[in-house]
Amino acid sequence: MSKDVKILRLSTGEDIIATVGENDQGTSLTKSFVIIPQQQGPGKPVQLMMVLYAPYAKSDTVTIDKKFIVSSVEPKKEILDTYLQNTSSILQNPGLITENSIPKIDS
């Protein structure tokens, strides 16, 4: 699945991360997010925020015309890992309950 995840730059200037496919109408984007860079202030590191691309759509797949795609790149590992964690239905690293974390009852 992760080999189909791409970052697309659209002609509108948006950077979209999604699982990308092809269909008769154009390029299909599944579980697509807009990547928005944010900086808290001058000299502070830039953080990336991901916002749903089509939050009001009935389906999680959007098809766009190929003519609106300016470029397509493989995401960096950190961005890909965050995307997969946010789109996976499997809990990532939930932790385990151990005997050490169970409170002791005084009798």
Side-chain angles (χ1 to χ4, degrees), residues 5 11 14 30 37-38 48 51 58 60 62-63 65 71 80-81:
V5 176
S11 58
E14 295 166 302
T30 304
Q38 289 187 320
L48 300 179
V51 179
K58 188 174 184 179
D60 68 348
V62 177
T63 300
D65 195 314
S71 64
L80 177 62
D81 290 346

Side-chain angles (χ1 to χ4, degrees), residues 40-80:
Q40 298 298 323
K44 303 263 177 144
V46 174
Q47 296 177 329
L48 300 179
M49 182 172 75
M50 292 185 192
V51 179
L52 283 174
Y53 178 62
Y56 306 112
K58 188 174 184 179
S59 170
D60 68 348
T61 300
V62 177
T63 300
I64 60 171
D65 195 314
K66 293 178 186 179
K67 69 182 178 186
F68 297 115
I69 299 173
V70 175
S71 64
S72 172
V73 297
E74 300 276 334
K76 290 182 177 180
K77 182 182 180 338
E78 300 84 13
I79 297 172
L80 177 62

Side-chain angles (χ1 to χ4, degrees), residues 5-106:
V5 176
K6 305 277 188 210
I7 296 176
L8 305 177
R9 168 71 52 98
L10 303 184
S11 58
T12 57
E14 295 166 302
D15 289 322
I16 308 293
I17 186 168
T19 302
V20 178
E22 301 291 327
N23 62 35
D24 295 340
Q25 292 83 30
T27 301
S28 65
L29 309 176
T30 304
K31 297 182 180 178
S32 52
F33 289 84
V34 179
I35 300 173
I36 302 172
Q38 289 187 320
Q39 189 174 22
Q40 298 298 323
K44 303 263 177 144
V46 174
Q47 296 177 329
L48 300 179
M49 182 172 75
M50 292 185 192
V51 179
L52 283 174
Y53 178 62
Y56 306 112
K58 188 174 184 179
S59 170
D60 68 348
T61 300
V62 177
T63 300
I64 60 171
D65 195 314
K66 293 178 186 179
K67 69 182 178 186
F68 297 115
I69 299 173
V70 175
S71 64
S72 172
V73 297
E74 300 276 334
K76 290 182 177 180
K77 182 182 180 338
E78 300 84 13
I79 297 172
L80 177 62
D81 290 346
T82 300
Y83 172 79
L84 294 175
Q85 185 175 10
N86 288 329
T87 58
S88 174
S89 58
I90 300 172
L91 291 176
Q92 303 289 327
N93 222 2
L96 298 174
I97 298 174
T98 64
E99 287 184 34
N100 293 338
S101 62
I102 299 173
K104 295 184 180 188
I105 300 174
D106 294 325

